[in-house]
Amino acid sequence: MADDPTTADLGHGEAAVDTTPAVRPDAEPATPLHDLTRVALPIAFLVGCVVVGETVIYRLGQLDEAAYFEPSILAEVVRARWPVAVLAVVASVAAMVRWRTFGPRWPTTGPFPLRLVVVLPAAVLTWAYTTYDYNLYFDRGHAIDRILLLVLFVALVWRPVFVPVWLVALVAVMGQFAHPLGGYSLAEQSPLIQILVAFIAVWVARAVIGRWLAWQFLFVALCIVASTYWWSGVGKLRLGWIGAGPHVNFELPATYSNGWLGFVSEDRIGELASWLGVLRWPMAVGVLVVELGALLLLVRRWTLTALLVGFVGFHLAVFGLTGILFWKWMAVEIGLLVVLLHRRRDRDVPFFDVSHAIVSVVVIGGSFVWFAPSNLSWYDAPATYVYRLEATGNDGRVGALPPGFFGEYSYQFTLSVFEYLVADDPRLGLYYGAMYDREALRKLRTARTAEEVFAIEAEHGLVRHDAGRAERFERFVATYVGNWNERRSSSTAVSLVEPPSQLITFDRRRSYDGGSIETVTVTQVLTFFDGERYAELREVPVLTVTIDQT
């Protein structure tokens, strides 16, 4: 038993990391096809496991809305998935009896710190989902679940066997913010989760064959990182983004409408957007170089280094222009860059050969099939709709309810995609300054007066009212604000260490600071940038929510 290479070192971190050379010195030279197959098969295995494993993880962690009203989210996961929970416990006990261990430990030697590459995305997500604000819609802080999620994170730092358990717990905790409004984006979280799912396959392979597929895992992790950039670039090509005349500068006034740089005057925003208009073509070309260049991420060392740096720089530029902060991605990308820079010579990193280059282009190029990355592509419009909420208290005071008032739901309230509240009037498909109607866009870009914008809206707009979604929105606001009246805060004991939001806002309006809120009025505002000046063209109240005072 002790001589069995697949089991003898299950309890030790020194066990084999896959560092064997591609060809033994005394072996026949490998043919190109053989070399390509040798590279492709383990990577195909990991990619296939991501496809299947991600679906399994999300299904295990998925809960209905009612579950989040209960004291413990994770208890509801066990209750809803008890056969799987029982099977996992039985399998764990059997493994411990068989091998007297919790499975393979983290390797303490190897080509790079494997544990760091796994722990970093897990740490980022743990930070975000153990320190969020009290959920006033469900009237639950779920403190036990936050503690358990943190404990599971510490456990996975100790032993990799806890990675899948932690992932299911994370998905369950995240799921609460999709209820009841929908629209809670996982674009920032999904690549990090996929990297961790890929590691589960690596861990399983280690337990079965006694070898860590370390380099293959890092290769797949980098392909996952590249996939969203690549697919967004492809999306822009399919839209004819360049042919439509990209106006990246339009993003500034659009996101300003939703609260970004709210401390700056409207006149100043118009001046800044006009000045940025001069740079719109260089900015557009830069965007496409970074996004489409992601296909070549693993072709050469210099492309890998340059593009990882480019990704971080791209996000910093996007943040300055829009307030959208992909800090989770940047943290992981910087971590991967540090790991790779530690291996300073090409021969220290077995990626930079023809076989790996071909496989990387196939994996990244076809990522829309296996990784289903978010397609972050649209036309930038000079107009947008924003929905602003105003509270009236029982003492007569009136004030704004900015997106941050709604805690983790601030994502939906910052994006402000509530067109379904407008009952009878046609509205353009404008969301956060983005649209997909190219003909309406062409006319908006030449419009100069409010009347022209209204005419375009009447011609190309649609009535987008959805009674079911409007009812859920009203129920959410009534419940959330009603619980705020009781608690007067959404802060928790850990709110002080909460990470930055993905969407940063600075509301220009005076926030509500009165007594119990009696009504909340939702107003739709249409804003427009004519190439020189920013203006709010129209304000229309679309909903008034009465808050139960009992």
Side-chain angles (χ1 to χ4, degrees), residues 274-524:
S274 298
W275 180 79
L276 287 171
V278 178
L279 302 174
R280 66 187 181 93
W281 279 105
M283 288 193 294
V285 171
V287 168
L288 289 180
V289 166
V290 169
E291 292 185 338
L292 295 176
L295 181 67
L296 306 177
L297 182 72
L298 291 166
V299 170
R300 289 287 185 271
R301 171 180 281 279
W302 73 264
T303 61
L304 177 57
T305 303
L307 283 167
L308 283 175
V309 172
F311 294 160
V312 175
F314 172 74
H315 286 306
L316 292 174
V318 168
F319 173 66
L321 193 63
T322 67
I324 302 173
L325 182 61
F326 278 89
W327 67 271
K328 298 181 182 73
W329 284 9
M330 287 193 288
V332 171
E333 287 160 357
I334 291 170
L336 291 171
L337 186 61
V338 169
V339 166
L340 291 161
L341 288 178
H342 181 67
R343 316 295 294 187
R344 296 183 179 181
R345 296 170 298 179
D346 282 2
R347 66 183 183 182
D348 292 336
V349 181
F351 295 165
F352 310 117
D353 56 43
V354 174
S355 295
H356 279 90
I358 292 172
V359 172
S360 72
V361 169
V362 171
V363 174
I364 297 169
S367 58
F368 66 95
V369 177
W370 15 87
F371 302 140
S374 299
N375 183 358
L376 304 178
S377 56
W378 53 79
Y379 298 123
D380 296 306
T384 197
Y385 298 113
V386 60
Y387 295 80
R388 294 174 180 162
L389 281 71
E390 186 175 71
T392 301
N394 58 6
D395 54 4
R397 280 190 278 186
V398 177
L401 299 182
F405 175 86
F406 295 96
E408 188 67 17
Y409 294 94
S410 64
Y411 182 91
Q412 290 98 315
F413 282 86
T414 302
L415 281 185
S416 207
V417 186
F418 301 135
E419 75 279 6
Y420 52 81
L421 298 177
V422 182
D424 302 314
D425 300 318
R427 292 291 184 263
L428 296 168
L430 280 169
Y431 316 105
Y432 213 56
M435 71 184 310
Y436 297 93
D437 185 336
R438 188 163 176 170
E439 180 60 22
L441 175 71
R442 182 184 64 80
K443 294 178 180 179
L444 281 174
R445 286 178 175 175
T446 59
R448 290 296 177 267
T449 67
E451 289 71 23
E452 290 177 302
V453 175
F454 298 153
I456 297 166
E457 181 183 58
E459 179 183 0
H460 293 274
L462 298 172
V463 175
R464 302 173 186 274
H465 181 63
D466 184 322
R469 296 187 70 186
E471 184 279 328
R472 290 195 296 274
F473 179 92
E474 185 170 358
R475 171 162 49 88
F476 172 85
V477 172
T479 303
Y480 192 99
V481 176
N483 287 330
W484 181 90
N485 283 342
E486 294 291 326
R487 200 172 186 271
R488 293 304 175 92
S489 173
S490 62
S491 296
T492 65
V494 291
S495 291
L496 288 176
V497 294
E498 185 179 5
S501 173
Q502 184 184 348
L503 303 176
I504 309 297
T505 59
F506 303 90
D507 204 289
R508 289 174 282 158
R509 305 167 297 156
R510 179 180 177 182
S511 296
Y512 181 76
D513 61 357
S516 293
I517 297 172
E518 291 188 336
T519 61
V520 175
T521 302
V522 183
T523 300
Q524 184 200 59

Side-chain angles (χ1 to χ4, degrees), residues 224-272:
I224 290 170
V225 168
S227 65
T228 294
Y229 300 97
W230 161 249
W231 190 232
S232 295
V234 170
K236 290 178 175 63
L237 294 182
R238 295 169 69 191
L239 272 178
W241 188 64
I242 286 289
H247 282 266
V248 183
N249 58 308
F250 286 171
E251 293 184 0
L252 179 60
T255 53
Y256 176 75
S257 301
N258 291 70
W260 174 234
L261 299 182
F263 51 84
V264 178
S265 70
E266 293 183 3
D267 289 342
R268 184 59 176 161
I269 285 295
E271 292 173 3
L272 287 172

Side-chain angles (χ1 to χ4, degrees), residues 101-298:
T101 179
F102 279 97
R105 295 180 181 180
W106 292 103
T108 55
T109 61
F112 64 88
L114 177 63
R115 174 157 37 184
L116 173 64
V117 177
V118 176
V119 167
L120 180 57
V124 165
L125 292 169
T126 300
W127 183 20
Y129 289 100
T130 57
T131 60
Y132 61 87
D133 284 340
Y134 186 89
N135 193 322
L136 286 170
Y137 175 69
F138 292 109
D139 198 20
R140 292 289 184 188
H142 293 124
I144 292 175
D145 301 293
R146 298 178 196 236
I147 293 170
L148 286 174
L149 188 62
L150 182 59
V151 168
L152 287 171
F153 169 72
V154 173
L156 76 81
V157 174
W158 175 55
R159 286 289 179 87
V161 67
F162 291 99
V163 171
V165 184
W166 174 88
L167 271 173
V168 172
L170 173 78
V171 168
V173 171
M174 286 195 313
Q176 65 187 294
F177 303 112
H179 299 293
L181 297 176
Y184 186 71
S185 173
L186 296 180
E188 192 184 26
Q189 299 90 325
S190 181
L192 278 62
I193 290 172
Q194 289 174 341
I195 289 172
L196 294 164
V197 173
F199 173 74
I200 296 174
V202 172
W203 178 79
V204 171
R206 164 64 185 83
V208 174
I209 67 175
R211 189 173 72 245
W212 291 103
L213 302 177
W215 282 121
Q216 291 90 339
F217 165 67
L218 186 60
F219 182 95
V220 171
L222 288 163
C223 288
I224 290 170
V225 168
S227 65
T228 294
Y229 300 97
W230 161 249
W231 190 232
S232 295
V234 170
K236 290 178 175 63
L237 294 182
R238 295 169 69 191
L239 272 178
W241 188 64
I242 286 289
H247 282 266
V248 183
N249 58 308
F250 286 171
E251 293 184 0
L252 179 60
T255 53
Y256 176 75
S257 301
N258 291 70
W260 174 234
L261 299 182
F263 51 84
V264 178
S265 70
E266 293 183 3
D267 289 342
R268 184 59 176 161
I269 285 295
E271 292 173 3
L272 287 172
S274 298
W275 180 79
L276 287 171
V278 178
L279 302 174
R280 66 187 181 93
W281 279 105
M283 288 193 294
V285 171
V287 168
L288 289 180
V289 166
V290 169
E291 292 185 338
L292 295 176
L295 181 67
L296 306 177
L297 182 72
L298 291 166

